[in-house]
Amino acid sequence: MFYTHNGKTSVYFTLEMPEPIVRSRILQQWSDLTKSEFDQGKSSDQAIGLMNKDAIVVDDFYTEDTKFQTPETFSDWVAEYYRLGFRIFHFDHLHELEGANDNAKNQSVTEKWAKTFQKICKDHPDVWLFVYAQPNGAAQNRKILRRTDIAGSKAITQKCDYLISLNRNFEIDDQTGLIS
């Protein structure tokens, strides 16, 4: 939508899924197709057109060597993408960061990242930064999430301008990564 309405391009940093699976999900989503329609080969020409324009770049942000998944390297990558003209940044699977799911380390890890996210937004007031995290264990089955239900919530949500909770039931095909 950022690209369609404002010509703004996005970078999608993924910490969990490989780039081809993320691209496949984007293609399905942008085509507005169900998994079965997508699997049957229904037309996804409009989505392919957007993807060919590099409306979104997928960066797997050191998933092969997680020791480089640091706030400093993320900040450097954002600065480089910013220099290239990107203004929308998606950081998916915050809970996958080293220590983010460890009760003893969670707050310190997410606090460090939250400060980095906050600094990026101060340094570049024209960016949109979306950080995606799963609900913590106690909130997994709630229909409506609160700020405190997000993994690392205290450190992250207190530094966010907005918290959007999108809850819906869906299934993911383990082999293709597509949503049904």
Side-chain angles (χ1 to χ4, degrees):
M1 299 313 324
F2 282 103
Y3 183 81
T4 301
H5 295 293
N6 300 304
K8 304 287 183 189
T9 52
S10 297
V11 178
Y12 186 96
F13 292 94
T14 178
L15 301 180
E16 183 181 60
M17 295 177 288
E19 189 259 352
I21 289 178
V22 174
R23 283 206 166 274
S24 183
R25 284 188 175 183
I26 292 169
L27 186 60
Q28 178 192 356
Q29 174 69 32
W30 288 1
S31 299
D32 199 27
L33 300 173
T34 64
K35 180 184 177 306
S36 61
E37 291 171 333
F38 189 75
D39 288 344
Q40 292 169 9
K42 291 220 175 179
S43 176
S44 55
D45 290 345
Q46 180 180 351
I48 290 171
L50 282 172
M51 291 177 88
N52 286 338
K53 293 179 183 179
D54 285 331
I56 191 163
V57 170
V58 178
D59 187 315
D60 59 6
F61 193 59
Y62 300 114
T63 54
E64 297 298 318
D65 194 353
T66 59
K67 72 177 177 234
F68 294 110
Q69 289 178 344
T70 66
E72 296 78 21
T73 56
F74 179 71
S75 189
D76 290 345
W77 276 107
V78 168
E80 180 59 19
Y81 281 119
Y82 185 88
R83 188 186 67 73
L84 294 171
F86 292 89
R87 295 297 182 266
I88 315 302
F89 299 93
H90 304 267
F91 187 84
D92 199 4
H93 297 94
L94 173 76
H95 55 279
E96 292 290 328
L97 289 169
E98 182 70 33
N101 273 334
D102 179 342
N103 287 339
K105 297 179 183 177
N106 176 282
Q107 287 303 316
S108 65
V109 168
T110 53
E111 180 70 26
K112 198 169 160 184
W113 279 90
K115 286 179 180 176
T116 298
F117 298 148
Q118 196 174 43
K119 183 172 180 350
I120 288 168
C121 292
K122 280 184 183 175
D123 291 348
H124 308 291
D126 59 335
V127 303
W128 284 74
L129 174 61
F130 298 90
V131 178
Y132 304 96
Q134 287 185 343
N136 60 33
Q140 285 287 21
N141 295 317
R142 287 196 181 138
K143 291 191 184 258
I144 297 176
L145 297 178
R146 301 175 308 230
R147 284 181 176 245
T148 56
D149 293 331
I150 304 300
S153 61
K154 183 178 178 191
I156 294 293
T157 60
Q158 290 177 355
K159 292 180 173 41
C160 294
D161 292 328
Y162 303 98
L163 173 69
I164 301 170
S165 168
L166 302 175
N167 303 347
R168 64 182 175 147
N169 293 328
F170 60 87
E171 292 184 28
I172 298 171
D173 183 304
D174 290 334
Q175 293 186 332
T176 65
L178 297 176
I179 300 169
S180 57

